[in-house]
Amino acid sequence: LTAEAASQKNIPFENNPRPLRTFMNDSAEYWVDAGGSLLHMKFPARLDLTGQYSRTGPYFNMPHTGVRWPRVQFELRPLHASDPLGDHYPQEALDCSSRALDTLVALTNEVEDARN
């Protein structure tokens, strides 16, 4: 995720998030980019499967549980130089990870502020 891709120019706050019923066939709200396409963000991060808000379990690996639409909740952590492998992370990866999670927080705060 580059700084330009994370800018308000590329992710306009007006008319975001919004339903994409014709494209996604559900009533959820999605963020779109300046061109109206579904917003995709690719960035390095660590998955924390044991965090306070994580909801994963061993039954997701069991094929005969009868669970048709399992849902998993996990926490994302930005890469940090103090991580166990942090000395192997290039500075660009650290910056990108931090910028992406800052962008996600800003988008969430924008929605909460607008709806409150």
Side-chain angles (χ1 to χ4, degrees), residues 12-19 29-32 107 111 115:
F13 288 131
E14 1 5 279
N15 204 20
N16 255 322
R18 64 179 182 219
E29 293 184 323
Y30 297 89
W31 283 86
V32 297
L107 294 175
V111 170
R115 293 185 178 172

Side-chain angles (χ1 to χ4, degrees), residues 22-72:
T22 57
F23 182 66
M24 300 303 286
N25 199 25
D26 62 17
S27 60
E29 293 184 323
Y30 297 89
W31 283 86
V32 297
D33 61 19
S37 299
L38 186 63
L39 180 65
H40 292 258
M41 295 174 61
K42 296 179 184 179
F43 56 92
R46 292 182 300 124
L47 295 180
D48 183 353
L49 302 177
T50 61
Q52 178 180 355
Y53 302 104
S54 293
R55 301 291 180 261
T56 59
Y59 58 88
F60 286 104
N61 294 326
M62 302 168 98
H64 303 293
T65 61
V67 177
R68 293 193 58 194
W69 301 103
R71 294 182 181 209
V72 176

